[in-house]
Amino acid sequence: MRQHYIPKAIITLLLFLLILGQPACLKKEFDAPPDNSGYDPQLPITHTIAELLKLPQGTAISHEVVISGIVVMDDKSGNYYNKIVIQDETGGIEILLDQNNLYNDYPLGRKVYINCKGLFLGDNGGNPQLGYTPDATAKLSAIPALLIEDFVVKASYPHTIIPDTFTLEELSSPDLMKPLLNTLIAVKDVEFTEDCTRIPYARPAGVASATNLSIQDCTGNTIIMRNSGYANFQPYLTPAGNGVLTGIYTRFDLTPQIYIRDTGDVHFYNSRCDGVVPPDAAWVSIDSIRNLYAGTTLTLGAYKIRGVVISDRENGNVANGTVVLQGGDDDKGMLLYYGSAVAYALGDSLEVDIEGATLKEFQGKLEIDGVQTARTTKLASGRSITPRVVSVAELTANSSLYESTLVKINQASFSATASTYNGNAGNLDITDATGTISHYCTFQASFKNEPLPVSPVTSVTAYVDVFNGTAQLRIRKPDAPVNDVVP
């Protein structure tokens, strides 16, 4: 059969047109992790990590040595810098890498192979490391960025490491517990000492590069939690309860230490050893949570927020698993992502414990990711938020002030070329005397095919969405019982 040749330029043009034709908002389900690849190059492993650690320090590894392990510590929270930690079934080791944002290539759960020939073994205060050429003090340097892929080979992702559980008494001697160094461990029934509760996890980086906090059990054993002043959770307050601590077991000389990946490793919700019940997470405004964001993803501390649901799952013009919550008429709003379908309805009043959830930017708007129904309390139903009357010009010029809040635009007109709320592939222009803004209608919106009323209408009420930095509106339901569009 004769094959027809299609010029590459035409293929490129067709792909470009296909991309242009996509809706202005993607389904939340497409927010994928950095790499879900199942590929594994199956490099032959010559040594376990325990066997590697028996080789001499201070001289380059001269023969073929290949190890493999799972990343159990990365630099995403900023508590580690220019290094990752991997472990296999025999132990763990720090890998020094001269590159920022390592979590993009080597996130928690990534399997990696390390070609160790040409690298050096060393330690920092007795804590094992693998890196590049040592200096005059025998301190290892990090593998140069241009050489990283020569030594570190990415494999499948993700893998789950379940930490073994130990007591503080067992962890008290790093000499006796050498096989645990640089591995993920858990400790039950522990708490911050009284002087270390309800204080920041670390002093600011301008004051100290790192801070030691004391963890204790109910029999008086202690261990140091060491936190970087550059960690994104630095200003969060430590919890006052008792519970399970997960982290990387390390040492500095004879002192055992634990490093957490982020505050999600600290599950201190139970009564303290002396029977004192920990206070509830601090209630804060949604506006104050939004102000915590400084351009990088961060894990939230012990906070609760309250508000009224202004999105409407029943009529479908909101992404699955997503709730838009506004704190009140005078407060801001926030997109909450639960990850799966939730039953919270328009007008429900909610209290949400967001400790351990992630404040991040998604498609140009702020959201709290990882919110849990188990930590969400419905306080009432049938509540309402008074929309802020705003012009299109004011809204588009100050979209960050109105993002995820309810607004009303008076004397608005719909695009003359559209006949339904679906507009052009979900996008519908709405115009007032000051300008034009797009309205987005999801493919599952119940009203997408309803005919538009005669323009101009008295008002249009909607919550403000943001897509890649551009404000857009989302009507909940134009007619009864919501009546977002008043003819």
Side-chain angles (χ1 to χ4, degrees), residues 91-368:
I93 190 166
E94 283 185 359
I95 315 294
L96 306 183
L97 304 169
D98 189 18
Q99 180 178 308
N100 296 328
N101 301 318
L102 290 165
Y103 67 90
N104 287 324
D105 291 313
Y106 313 105
L108 297 179
R110 163 79 75 186
K111 181 180 180 181
V112 296
Y113 295 88
I114 311 292
N115 296 310
C116 300
K117 185 177 179 180
L119 299 180
F120 293 76
L121 281 171
D123 68 71
N124 178 28
N127 198 57
Q129 297 179 321
L130 182 67
Y132 209 58
T133 310
D135 62 17
T137 65
K139 181 180 179 180
L140 296 185
S141 62
I143 300 172
L146 293 177
L147 299 180
I148 289 176
E149 292 188 358
D150 294 340
F151 295 102
V152 185
V153 179
K154 293 185 285 188
S156 49
Y157 170 90
H159 296 271
T160 300
I161 294 292
I162 300 175
D164 290 327
T165 302
F166 299 90
T167 65
L168 290 189
E169 185 175 9
E170 290 172 322
L171 299 175
S172 62
S173 173
D175 282 337
L176 296 178
M177 303 301 277
K178 276 187 179 181
L180 290 183
L181 293 174
N182 295 311
T183 67
L184 188 67
I185 56 98
V187 192
K188 293 195 301 184
D189 302 323
V190 293
E191 61 193 31
F192 287 100
T193 56
E194 188 173 352
D195 60 320
C196 291
T197 61
R198 293 297 179 185
I199 64 171
Y201 272 88
R203 287 174 289 176
V207 177
S209 60
T211 299
N212 291 339
L213 300 179
S214 295
I215 302 290
Q216 66 182 7
D217 63 17
C218 294
T219 58
N221 296 298
T222 62
I223 195 170
I224 292 298
M225 175 193 289
R226 189 162 174 83
N227 300 317
S228 170
Y230 296 94
N232 59 23
F233 55 84
Q234 173 269 318
Y236 300 162
L237 301 184
T238 57
N242 181 292
V244 177
L245 174 65
T246 303
I248 303 299
Y249 180 66
T250 70
R251 68 182 297 174
F252 189 77
D253 295 336
L254 296 178
T255 302
Q257 302 178 140
I258 288 181
Y259 280 85
I260 59 175
R261 282 83 58 86
D262 57 39
T263 56
D265 282 337
V266 184
H267 294 268
F268 291 0
Y269 306 119
N270 303 324
S271 298
R272 291 178 62 83
C273 293
D274 58 8
V276 173
V277 178
D280 288 339
W283 180 87
V284 295
S285 67
I286 292 178
D287 186 28
S288 65
I289 294 297
R290 295 184 68 90
N291 288 335
L292 290 175
Y293 187 73
T296 57
T297 299
L298 57 90
T299 301
L300 294 167
Y303 301 114
K304 286 183 180 180
I305 56 175
R306 294 175 184 169
V308 175
V309 177
I310 60 171
S311 54
D312 183 18
R313 63 172 181 83
E314 184 174 345
N315 287 289
N317 204 21
V318 63
N320 187 47
T322 296
V323 168
V324 182
L325 192 75
Q326 185 170 340
D329 293 345
D330 298 320
D331 195 7
K332 296 288 184 62
M334 181 71 76
L335 189 151
L336 308 180
Y337 183 56
Y338 286 84
S340 58
V342 289
Y344 307 120
L346 175 65
D348 282 349
S349 175
L350 305 180
E351 180 178 83
V352 188
D353 188 334
I354 56 175
E355 182 176 8
T358 302
L359 182 64
K360 61 186 286 190
E361 193 173 80
F362 175 71
Q363 295 180 341
K365 56 182 170 283
L366 277 183
E367 71 170 22
I368 299 178

Side-chain angles (χ1 to χ4, degrees), residues 389-449:
V389 178
V390 62
S391 69
V392 170
E394 182 182 358
L395 174 55
T396 55
N398 302 282
S399 59
S400 62
L401 298 178
Y402 297 101
E403 179 185 317
S404 297
T405 65
L406 201 62
V407 299
K408 177 190 285 188
I409 297 173
N410 290 327
Q411 293 299 305
S413 297
F414 297 106
S415 172
T417 61
S419 58
T420 69
Y421 285 97
N422 197 49
N424 178 21
N427 297 292
L428 173 67
D429 283 345
I430 297 178
T431 302
D432 71 358
T434 67
T436 299
I437 190 171
S438 179
H439 169 266
Y440 182 69
C441 196
T442 68
F443 73 90
Q444 72 267 28
S446 64
F447 56 87
K448 67 177 183 178
N449 293 321

